Amino acid sequence: MLRDLARGAAAVMAFVSMAVGSPSVQAQVAGIDPQATQLLRRMTDYLAGLKRFSVDSDSTLEVVLKTGEKLQFDTAAKATVRRPDRLRAERGGEIVDQVFLYDGASLTLYSLDAKRFAVAPAPATLDAALDYARDRLDIVAPASDLLATNAFDRLTQGLLGAIVVGPSVVGGVKTTHLAFRGPEVDFQVWVQDGDKPLPRKYVITTRQVQGMPEFASSFSNWKLDPEVPDSLFVFAPPKEARRIEFLGTGSGIASTTK
């Protein structure tokens, strides 16, 4: 799974040498701190136990040019989940303007700016549908790394290092900052303190790509029992929208239906 984190728009980032100038962090760099993995498991188990929720996110994707220059692209998203088989994710920004829908039987991706959409049959559970979207259609839904019911096992596969960086504040919310090192990518998570261990920030660094680009998301406006009618996950194409086919590569939708 840590290898999978490097995918999806080059979903991406490194450790920035594991914390600059902090003696308390430098003392913990080596090995796996069980306190870090325990808090990560607490967070992923809590998310997996939520039957329905919605969350807003603001993400920044970093791209490294051949010259070494870095560009950043921002995206705002809103995801609504109803387990075990519903997801609606809307995201818009400089490089994407899409709606992603899963209704328990099919996946739909609609590009608002291009007014095109594609539909594909999908497995019967959200976990399997997200895997299918990533592996067969080359589509990564917002925050999909954290949505799986077995997210902990996926995130810690091949884990090489884990540390508790320390207390932090994200968007005015008290959190605990965790950092993890994998074979190819590293990730950091800021977990909300208290009885609702929600992720408040998530950063991925791809070490295997020159310049070690990063992908970062901040989460806000968590709603843990929202109204989520079936209609929320049903796609009604606008009159001017045109259906095309998934190619399974690149942006995910590209080929015109004959």
Side-chain angles (χ1 to χ4, degrees), residues 5-199:
L5 295 180
R7 300 183 56 185
V12 298
M13 56 198 215
F15 235 26
V16 191
S17 69
M18 238 102 162
V20 177
S22 171
S24 61
V25 171
Q26 290 174 348
Q28 304 178 58
V29 165
I32 296 176
D33 183 345
Q35 185 179 355
T37 55
Q38 288 168 11
L39 186 49
L40 179 67
R41 179 181 285 280
R42 183 168 178 257
M43 182 200 77
T44 55
D45 286 353
Y46 182 77
L47 281 179
L50 295 175
K51 298 303 181 184
R52 61 184 72 188
F53 65 87
S54 65
V55 61
D56 296 339
S57 65
D58 290 291
S59 302
T60 298
L61 172 68
E62 193 171 71
V63 175
V64 182
L65 304 181
K66 291 181 179 180
T67 60
E69 181 181 1
K70 291 185 177 182
L71 302 179
Q72 291 188 341
F73 299 92
D74 292 335
T75 301
K78 180 181 181 66
T80 302
V81 173
R82 193 180 79 187
R83 299 190 191 277
D85 56 5
R86 296 291 191 276
L87 169 66
R88 180 187 181 96
E90 304 169 53
R91 52 186 172 183
E94 293 178 78
I95 58 176
V96 65
D97 190 14
Q98 295 176 338
V99 178
F100 178 97
L101 294 168
Y102 169 60
D103 64 3
S106 63
L107 290 167
T108 301
L109 187 65
Y110 173 51
S111 175
L112 281 74
D113 52 356
K115 293 183 172 52
R116 295 182 180 182
F117 68 97
V119 182
T125 66
L126 179 57
D127 285 3
L130 291 174
D131 287 344
Y132 176 80
R134 183 190 64 243
D135 298 335
R136 300 290 298 275
L137 304 178
D138 200 20
I139 297 170
V140 179
S144 59
D145 303 328
L146 305 178
L147 295 180
T149 54
N150 64 343
F152 178 81
D153 294 334
R154 295 176 180 226
L155 290 168
T156 57
Q157 184 176 359
L159 193 66
L160 301 176
I163 61 173
V164 177
V165 180
S168 183
V169 177
V170 177
V173 177
K174 291 183 178 180
T175 67
T176 299
H177 180 187
L178 309 176
F180 301 87
R181 166 149 289 199
E184 297 180 0
V185 302
D186 302 324
F187 68 96
Q188 302 171 69
V189 184
W190 286 253
V191 181
Q192 180 173 313
D193 294 342
D195 60 355
K196 297 178 180 178
L198 297 164

Side-chain angles (χ1 to χ4, degrees), residues 82 85-86 102-103 227-235:
R82 193 180 79 187
D85 56 5
R86 296 291 191 276
Y102 169 60
D103 64 3
E227 290 294 326
V228 283
D230 286 344
S231 58
L232 187 67
F233 309 98
V234 176
F235 179 64

